[in-house]
Amino acid sequence: MTSDAGRRPPERLTAAAARRIALAAQGFATPRPAGRIDTRHVRKVIGTLGLLQLDSVNVFCRSHYLPVFSRLGPYPRDLLDRMAAHLTGPVIAGRGVGSRRRELIEYWAHEASLLPLEMHPLLRWRMDRVDSSAWGGVIRLGRDNPGLVDEVLQLVTAEGPIRAAQTGVERPARQPGEMWNWHAGKTALEYLFFAGQVSAACRVNFERLYDLTQRVLPADVLAAPTPAEPDAQRELVRIAARALGVATEPDLGDYFRLPRAASKARVAELAAAGELLPVTVDGWSAPAYLWPAARRPRQVRARALLSPFDSLIWFRERTERIFGFRYRIEIYTPAAKRVHGYYVLPFLLGESLVARVDLKTDRQAGRLRVQAAFAEPGADRAHVAAELAAELRLTAAWLGLDGVVVAPRGDLAAELAAAMAGGPVLTAALGDGRSAAAGEGPAGIAAVTLPGPA
């Protein structure tokens, strides 16, 4: 069915209006709660975004916790742990470990992700494509060693939930340039995971434990009908469009990593049906689509540190187009070649990305370390530093740390150190046997103790 919307001239949006729509769709036009935060708040954030991307890097904080914090402020992380069946203690023997109160599942949605249970049927088409859509090592093992895959499935059936080490396969020596050093047993589990035959029963200290999907998911989810592939993909595009507000076709397809041809077809179908409204955006070279119910705030007053894997910025082309902010992850860049640092978080203030900071949690010392701080061109550094200092104090307290330490690297470091020094000041070693208060000496390091409870 063709909608009249396809025959009307596309609406024209200013770049600023599109940016505000995008921020609102991602939950940044809503003030953080003033009172106690509970599961309902976390559930609403996940409903707004559609999913949370997982990542194993823990130098600052596990990535999936951060988008919720960015939108809600300090919240009990165990709320999300319980929803996702992430545990910190030993696993109790028995079937269905971690399934109680489960609201989220893990799967390859936008990379490895946490997503609501009810989205499982929408991704079954991807599970059916394991032999073509998984990555090279997983595809090769499934093709070349199906016997091992069968043996591992039998092991999970008999003993699940299991760790990868329980497959009994030795880990090979790491090869130069390898991102993951998986043994064949782990790869077989990942083949089964991609295929939907096993699922993440829980995580213990972030290590995934695998069990049969029928022992992990609730009966009603397992019994839900499997939509046809085009129908499932259209629904995924709808979820993406609602979460993005205004977007190009590649933006929409990237949200759930749809194949390019499928993304183009599904977006065109939804536009023809009037479910996506074609628009033009000043400064955007590609056609764009507006979610009809998208909020259009006149102003956005956000303040947040963003995970590198936050859905607001995970598609770097979109980030640069909307915010004029070029962002690249430098985790796998040799230290000497990094521009901004190892684990760099953009800082959102108002409607703009105004700075970036390289953060590290020093758990032994109880400090949040700002390894480097950089302002964006044209930013009001004094204002940015003051707001960033406040957000860093809030972040450190949320992580249970006692203070924030600012190292003298980056063009915002001095202003940030001065802003941090507005609170009680510790002394910081300068590296030559001396010590100084915040802002003193050539090192310019600020170490600020967070105030305790009143």
Side-chain angles (χ1 to χ4, degrees):
M1 183 176 66
T2 302
S3 165
D4 290 341
R7 294 191 288 268
R8 292 197 299 266
E11 180 183 358
R12 180 176 177 177
L13 297 175
T14 66
R19 185 167 57 249
R20 289 191 291 270
I21 290 170
L23 286 165
Q26 284 281 300
F28 285 109
T30 303
R32 290 173 172 175
R36 176 178 173 271
I37 295 175
D38 59 25
T39 304
R40 292 171 297 175
H41 296 92
V42 178
R43 192 181 296 128
K44 184 176 180 180
V45 169
I46 297 171
T48 297
L49 305 183
L51 73 169
L52 299 173
Q53 185 175 338
L54 292 161
D55 189 76
S56 60
V57 176
N58 195 29
V59 67
F60 164 56
C61 177
R62 297 285 185 200
S63 178
H64 62 287
Y65 292 120
L66 288 169
V68 180
F69 173 77
S70 298
R71 291 154 178 83
L72 296 181
Y75 73 100
R77 280 172 288 166
D78 63 353
L79 294 178
L80 186 54
D81 289 340
R82 289 196 296 270
M83 294 172 71
H86 289 184
L87 311 175
T88 56
V91 176
I92 302 170
R95 299 288 184 243
V97 173
S99 63
R100 288 175 295 176
R101 297 187 300 275
R102 173 190 294 275
E103 296 189 30
L104 305 173
I105 56 170
E106 291 188 30
Y107 191 63
W108 294 99
H110 181 99
E111 302 298 324
S113 305
L114 290 172
L115 55 158
L117 285 166
E118 59 268 20
M119 289 184 64
H120 183 269
L122 301 179
L123 292 161
R124 291 175 187 164
W125 63 271
R126 179 168 288 161
M127 299 172 191
D128 292 339
R129 290 187 177 198
V130 59
D131 291 318
S132 60
S133 295
W135 55 99
V138 171
I139 292 174
R140 282 193 299 274
L141 186 131
R143 180 191 64 218
D144 299 341
N145 200 347
L148 176 61
V149 175
D150 289 342
E151 289 175 14
V152 170
L153 180 58
Q154 291 172 22
L155 177 66
V156 175
T157 302
E159 301 183 18
I162 69 165
R163 292 179 166 89
Q166 291 173 249
T167 61
V169 181
E170 292 187 9
R171 185 188 300 272
R174 181 180 291 276
Q175 300 299 313
E178 275 189 333
M179 185 179 300
W180 296 312
N181 185 30
W182 287 357
H183 54 71
K186 167 68 171 175
T187 305
L189 283 167
E190 287 299 317
Y191 179 93
L192 294 165
F193 179 81
F194 199 106
Q197 293 178 266
V198 306
S199 295
C202 61
R203 282 183 182 258
V204 178
N205 300 322
F206 207 67
E207 180 185 7
R208 184 186 284 161
L209 274 72
Y210 303 83
D211 205 349
L212 296 178
T213 297
Q214 59 262 38
R215 294 201 294 240
V216 173
L217 300 187
D220 59 334
V221 175
L222 293 168
T226 300
E229 183 174 313
D231 293 337
Q233 292 172 344
R234 273 190 293 273
E235 184 59 24
L236 292 174
V237 172
R238 291 185 188 100
I239 294 169
R242 185 170 61 245
L244 294 174
V246 61
T248 65
E249 175 272 315
D251 297 344
L252 294 166
D254 176 77
Y255 209 79
F256 289 102
R257 295 292 167 88
L258 299 184
R260 291 294 300 119
S263 174
K264 292 177 181 179
R266 304 295 88 83
V267 170
E269 290 159 3
L270 291 173
E275 293 190 57
L276 295 177
L277 304 180
V279 295
T280 61
V281 180
D282 293 346
W284 292 23
S285 59
Y289 300 89
L290 178 71
W291 181 246
R295 290 178 59 190
R296 301 192 187 199
R298 295 182 178 180
Q299 188 177 38
V300 174
R301 297 179 178 179
R303 191 187 77 187
L305 289 163
L306 301 176
S307 159
F309 309 104
D310 192 295
S311 51
L312 180 69
I313 59 169
W314 64 24
F315 192 32
R316 309 309 183 202
E317 294 176 13
R318 175 178 171 87
T319 302
E320 194 160 353
R321 185 188 332 122
I322 291 180
F323 295 102
F325 187 91
R326 189 177 188 278
Y327 181 53
R328 300 293 183 270
I329 296 177
E330 298 181 272
I331 292 172
Y332 302 107
T333 303
K337 296 183 178 180
R338 291 178 192 140
V339 176
H340 296 108
Y342 179 81
Y343 200 79
V344 177
L345 285 76
F347 181 50
L348 172 66
L349 187 61
E351 302 170 8
S352 303
L353 297 177
V354 296
R356 60 188 90 198
V357 284
D358 181 15
L359 296 183
K360 178 179 181 179
T361 297
D362 186 340
R363 295 172 178 85
Q364 185 173 0
R367 297 288 186 268
L368 176 58
R369 297 193 178 277
V370 183
Q371 311 278 65
F374 299 87
E376 286 300 288
D380 180 343
R381 295 190 183 196
H383 177 60
V384 169
E387 294 291 340
L388 178 55
E391 191 67 14
L392 287 167
R393 289 190 186 97
L394 194 68
T395 303
W398 173 60
L399 294 175
L401 303 172
D402 299 322
V404 182
V405 179
V406 182
R409 180 171 182 263
D411 59 13
L412 189 61
E415 287 94 336
L416 182 59
M420 293 300 308
V425 178
L426 298 173
T427 58
L430 298 180
D432 58 359
R434 298 179 296 116
S435 63
E440 291 186 4
I445 297 176
V448 178
T449 301
L450 298 177

